Amino acid sequence: MKIRNAVLSDFEKASELYDKVTLHLENNINYPDWIHKVYPSSETVGKGIKEGSLFVCEEGGKTIGAFLLNTDPDGDYSQGNWTADIAEGEYMIIHALAVDPDYKGRGIGKRMVEFCLDYAKGKGHRAIRLDAVPKNTPARGMYESIGFHFAGERDLKRHETGIPSFALYEYNF
């Protein structure tokens, strides 16, 4: 398994991955409340590639996972009950972490998060922070098992329909 920064030639495979994941969620239990063709979508992929924040996880030439890793909280993180006072830009944020449903339960999500921790620390950042839909118990359990600290449930002022608040997590270095 290889995790790397996505390039333009990854656009189609990464878009297909997010389409597959969102369709699967909509037809099963949609823990993160993602919407097919809305978020995460090919627009998310294109923006992530352009900004250099999209990463892909591959196995045998197949894209089996993807995520965004950047310094944009995409909302008001100032309200978090953080254990460390770290300025925006000194921490990285994981967004849109997804694993191909055919590869579920193989520890791929955990390996991608561990990659994020190593990457952020290697770039001199002081922490990783993230948010999750409160009912997304599988993701929250994974983050907690890795050692992330719950920093409260807050309205991030994203004005998301049907998602009034998000569960915040941090991992400090």
Side-chain angles (χ1 to χ4, degrees):
M1 187 175 74
K2 179 181 178 183
I3 301 170
R4 63 173 176 78
N5 209 230
V7 294
L8 192 54
S9 61
D10 294 309
F11 178 81
E12 188 174 325
K13 285 183 179 180
S15 294
E16 288 172 0
L17 170 76
Y18 280 123
D19 282 348
K20 182 177 182 178
V21 169
T22 55
L23 274 175
H24 175 80
L25 290 167
E26 287 186 358
N27 291 316
N28 292 279
I29 301 173
N30 193 348
Y31 290 106
D33 284 335
W34 287 353
I35 302 169
H36 182 62
K37 300 283 187 188
V38 175
Y39 184 83
S41 66
S42 58
E43 183 180 327
T44 309
V45 170
K47 183 179 177 189
I49 290 172
K50 182 179 179 184
E51 295 174 351
S53 62
L54 182 72
F55 290 77
V56 292
C57 177
E58 301 172 313
E59 185 174 87
K62 180 177 171 64
T63 300
I64 61 170
F67 58 89
L68 296 164
L69 183 63
N70 59 34
T71 58
D72 179 7
D74 187 28
D76 183 6
Y77 265 39
S78 68
Q79 301 178 59
N81 187 24
W82 310 112
T83 60
D85 186 20
I86 301 172
E88 192 172 310
E90 293 182 335
Y91 57 86
M92 295 193 86
I93 301 101
I94 301 170
H95 304 276
L97 184 88
V99 175
D100 183 318
D102 295 338
Y103 290 78
K104 183 180 165 185
R106 298 185 190 180
I108 293 163
K110 182 177 180 180
R111 288 168 73 184
M112 290 192 301
V113 171
E114 290 168 344
F115 172 91
C116 292
L117 294 171
D118 291 341
Y119 183 90
K121 189 174 184 178
K123 294 288 185 184
H125 291 276
R126 296 178 54 202
I128 289 270
R129 291 182 177 173
L130 58 89
D131 56 86
V133 172
K135 71 175 187 175
N136 192 348
T137 52
R140 293 180 69 178
M142 177 185 65
Y143 298 133
E144 291 170 7
S145 75
I146 293 169
F148 278 78
H149 169 76
F150 176 65
E153 190 174 311
R154 303 287 189 269
D155 178 356
L156 299 179
K157 310 281 191 262
R158 287 184 182 156
H159 308 292
E160 301 283 337
T161 305
I163 308 174
S165 64
F166 292 85
L168 301 173
Y169 284 91
E170 69 180 337
Y171 189 107
N172 300 315
F173 304 123

